[in-house]
Every structure is written in structure tokens, then in C-alpha cells.
Amino acid sequence: DTEVTQTPKHLVMGMTNKKSLKCEQHMGHRAMYWYKQKAKKPPELMFVYSYEKLSINESVPSRFSPECPNSSLLNLHLHALQPEDSALYLCASSSRDRDLAKLFFGSGTQLSVL
Amino acid sequence: AQSVTQPDIHITVSEGASLELRCNYSYGATPYLFWYVQSPGQGLQLLLKYFSGDTLVQGIKGFEAEFKRSQSSFNLRKPSVHWSDAAEYFCAVGSTNTGNQFYFGTGTSLTVIP
């Protein structure tokens, strides 16, 4: 299994809603990432988890709250989002810290905030 | 600081013609270099990567790239383009200095005309 699975694939939410994005991998990877990508733009790094601990937070607003409950699972909790947060949210994983030899991306969650 | 430049925002080629997408990087050490392809609303698919060794790298879907240290370039090539190659292409440089971080170029949008 060499996949990073993201659910849901599409999400529409209002500004007062609370929702969560889920990312799962079963490759034994110990580094996991969240990226945000606006249309026609490159992905922007949001968070990096290494061995289930948050190692990088790229000054992301607190309305985005990451969680890594175990080595296979990464969540992104969303609350009080703004319309400008509408984007494709990509999850990725790599085999271990400081190892870019095997980096896999999921297909993403397309988020629309109304 | 690391950076990646893709000079061409948009390229149009005829089906069957050859293709070259340009990528220039700025990095203090030997870089890890990658090319990704992305179809609309989809995640990133790795085409090929360079870590060390042979400077001509073969990838999937008939793509290849050549690392030229003297020119700080990692251009992507394909001898004969297919209509299904129409997509967004991202060059990226990887850094392990501060955890696993990717720096993406701004992307090149490829249109293939019959």
C-alpha cells in the first residue's frame, strides 16, 4: 500500500461550521504534512508532524488546528473559516524525518467556504 | 534561502511535438530536485526526482530531466507530447536542514493542441 488517503474529497462549509479533514497512510511513515493550495498556485506548507509531534507550524491562523493521534493518521480541524480559506488541502507523508526519498501526496480535499 | 523559479507560466505545444519545461533553483548545497504533475482538482503525482549520481533522470510517462549544476537548472523534457500530458507542472527543491520541507516553483501550465 503506497497511498495517502484523504477524506472527504470535497467539502462545503459555512463560516460558523466545524469540520475536520482526515489523512491516513499505512506505509509506516513517521513524517506527515499539510499543504494548502489555491488555484493555479503552488502548494504552501502549513504543518509538519514528525513522530506524531508538531515540528513545523508555518504561522497558520488558529482557525486551523492539526492533530496527529497516531503514526498513521493526521487530522486538520477547521473552525470559523473565512471564504479566502477555500482551497485544495493536500496531505503528504515521508518515510522518516530528513528523508525525502519517499514522499507521497494524497489527492487532496477541495474545500469551499461559503 | 532556497528558491525555485519556473520562468514559463504557460506553454502550448502541438501533440507529438517535443517539450521542455524550465526550472532553476537556488540552494546552498546539493539539492534534492523533483518534478510533479497535477491535473485540475487532483493531488500531486511525482514524475521524477534527483538526489545524486547520474544527472539525467528518467521518470514516468516518458519524461526525463537533466540536472546541470553549472546552470542551477533541472529542466523537464519529453520527446513527443500526448494530449493527456496537459496539466500543471511543478518543480520543487527539497531541504532536510530544518525538517522535511519542500519549496515549490510557481508552476507551468501545459496546453496540448491537436
Side-chain angles (χ1 to χ4, degrees), chain A residues 91-112:
Chain A
C91 175
S93 71
S94 64
S95 56
R96 62 180 184 272
D97 195 17
R98 298 177 183 275
D99 181 2
L100 294 173
K102 298 178 181 178
L103 181 72
F104 294 85
F105 281 88
S107 298
T109 294
Q110 188 67 54
L111 174 67
S112 296

Side-chain angles (χ1 to χ4, degrees), chain A residues 57-74:
Chain A
N57 177 341
E58 291 286 357
S59 302
V60 179
S62 60
R63 57 185 183 269
F64 295 91
S65 175
E67 178 196 20
C68 189
N70 59 59
S71 60
S72 299
L73 193 56
L74 183 67

Side-chain angles (χ1 to χ4, degrees), chain A residues 16-52:
Chain A
T16 59
N17 291 156
K18 286 185 180 180
K19 296 286 184 183
S20 297
L21 309 185
K22 180 180 173 181
C23 174
E24 198 164 2
Q25 56 85 16
H26 297 287
M27 295 177 279
H29 287 179
R30 302 311 297 271
M32 297 184 77
Y33 316 76
W34 280 116
Y35 284 84
K36 174 183 177 180
Q37 186 181 24
K38 302 286 277 186
K40 299 293 187 182
K41 298 292 185 183
E44 298 175 352
L45 182 65
M46 299 175 73
F47 303 105
V48 180
Y49 272 84
S50 180
Y51 293 87
E52 295 94 69

Side-chain angles (χ1 to χ4, degrees), chain A residues 11-15 80-87 111-114:
Chain A
L11 178 63
V12 179
M13 60 186 291
M15 289 189 285
L81 294 194
Q82 303 297 311
E84 59 264 30
D85 296 322
S86 298
L111 174 67
S112 296
V113 182
L114 304 178

